[in-house]
Amino acid sequence: MDVINEVCEILDLLYKHGWDERNGGNLSYIVTKEEVKTIVSEEKEIREFKYDFDMTPLIGKYFLITGTQKYFKNCLKDPVTNLGLLKVKDKHTLSLLWGYKDGGRPTSEAPTHLKCHIERLKIDPLHRLVCHCHPINIICMSHILELNEKKWTEILWKMQTESIVVFPEGIAVLPWIICGGEEIGEATATKMKEYRSVVWAQHGLFATGRSLDEVFGLIETIEKAAEIYMKICDKPIVQSITNENLKQLAKAFNINYRKGIID
């Protein structure tokens, strides 16, 4: 069950960073057929969950998904209660193969996650992970900064050298929308057609990628840039990274960054 341990270790780190308090945040991870065999010896449906959107592109895929009202801090010690292994059975059905031992169900944000998986897989066939968390400084920024993606991207790129290297496509930003509903799910999935990370104003961040390490690193880098900004935004700036510096970085690292931000 190495894949369970790896997921739980990341969930524990997210909690310890202060980004997933109480039952805040959720995660969904595509697992391979080989990894499934390390969790269950045979595929036997425990129960199923119905959704009213079309999951056809995901049929046959397996996911580890955090449960609704579950705490990340409890996953390491009790994964079988706080996580579920699910298979997309048909275009409207998830089949539970393992987990949710106490009768639980997938996070209320599962439709948003699955819609994001559909969009990211169109762009990157190696995509595997969607993670939603509540990074403190990203949330702070959404209280004091206009919700303009060009502005957010430029600010975060200029806070530290690593930013444009780690998220060259920039960052998407959505206004406050009630969570767990169809509107925010559709809006987030639409942004995922161009971005790997989406800010939910006054709420948190959705981040995606190929691996647990990649996505955790993406969140860390975005949040660190936001922390630097929050610590200096009310102070006089004597020197900073310039547009020309960013272009030099892009050339040195052969980065295809989003155009129209610093050009």
Side-chain angles (χ1 to χ4, degrees):
M1 296 178 67
D2 286 349
V3 66
I4 299 290
N5 293 332
E6 290 169 3
V7 168
C8 287
E9 285 172 2
I10 290 294
L11 293 171
D12 193 57
L13 278 172
L14 287 161
Y15 168 73
K16 287 176 178 175
H17 274 64
W19 301 338
D20 290 280
E21 72 292 335
R22 200 173 179 270
N23 64 310
N26 28 76
L27 177 147
S28 59
Y29 186 52
I30 298 173
V31 293
T32 66
K33 182 76 171 178
E34 291 70 31
E35 289 169 333
V36 169
K37 291 175 182 176
T38 69
I39 302 170
V40 290
S41 56
E42 61 176 325
E43 292 184 23
K44 186 180 296 183
E45 182 177 278
I46 299 170
R47 56 186 181 280
E48 61 181 30
F49 306 99
K50 294 286 188 179
Y51 295 93
D52 61 2
F53 69 98
D54 190 350
M55 295 185 280
T56 298
L58 301 177
I59 290 174
K61 290 192 177 296
Y62 302 88
F63 291 86
L64 278 172
I65 304 179
T66 51
T68 188
Q69 297 297 312
K70 301 303 181 187
Y71 293 27
F72 279 17
K73 73 180 183 68
N74 295 333
C75 289
L76 261 180
K77 62 185 177 184
D78 189 10
V80 72
T81 298
N82 294 283
L83 291 173
L85 172 65
L86 302 114
K87 183 177 183 179
V88 182
K89 183 177 180 180
D90 58 49
K91 69 179 183 177
H92 294 300
T93 312
L94 289 180
S95 178
L96 179 67
L97 307 178
W98 172 92
Y100 305 149
K101 188 178 69 174
D102 62 352
R105 58 179 296 114
T107 169
S108 62
E109 300 290 0
T112 299
H113 279 251
L114 295 168
K115 289 173 183 178
C116 289
H117 281 293
I118 289 170
E119 296 303 331
R120 292 308 305 171
L121 284 166
K122 291 177 185 175
I123 298 161
D124 181 8
L126 298 179
H127 158 87
R128 293 186 71 179
L129 179 65
V130 174
C131 181
H132 170 51
C133 58
H134 302 162
I136 299 162
N137 292 284
I138 283 290
I139 296 171
C140 289
M141 279 184 67
S142 73
H143 283 275
I144 66 170
L145 194 66
E146 61 180 304
L147 303 180
N148 178 295
E149 289 164 349
K150 184 176 184 293
K151 188 69 174 176
W152 274 67
T153 296
E154 183 178 3
I155 286 172
L156 295 175
W157 278 356
K158 289 182 174 179
M159 288 301 102
Q160 59 186 352
T161 301
E162 290 80 3
S163 288
I164 196 171
V165 178
V166 175
F167 53 103
E169 75 280 9
I171 189 165
V173 184
L174 289 175
W176 188 92
I177 305 171
I178 193 165
C179 55
E182 182 177 347
E183 182 184 0
I184 200 166
E186 291 291 342
T188 306
T190 297
K191 293 293 186 184
M192 289 292 178
K193 294 177 182 180
E194 298 184 53
Y195 300 89
R196 287 177 300 142
S197 51
V198 181
V199 172
W200 286 6
Q202 295 86 48
H203 186 145
L205 181 71
F206 255 73
T208 66
R210 296 179 173 186
S211 70
L212 293 160
D213 277 348
E214 179 190 334
V215 176
F216 188 79
L218 175 62
I219 296 166
E220 279 186 308
T221 306
I222 292 171
E223 171 62 2
K224 185 173 182 179
E227 181 179 2
I228 295 167
Y229 175 74
M230 290 306 302
K231 286 181 174 179
I232 67 172
C233 65
D234 60 344
K235 297 174 174 62
I237 304 301
V238 178
Q239 58 272 319
S240 189
I241 297 174
T242 66
N243 288 358
E244 193 57 39
N245 293 153
L246 290 174
K247 292 174 188 176
Q248 290 171 349
L249 261 175
K251 184 177 181 181
F253 285 87
N254 195 27
I255 297 165
N256 182 23
Y257 64 89
R258 180 175 291 275
K259 301 302 185 285
I261 307 295
I262 58 173
D263 304 284

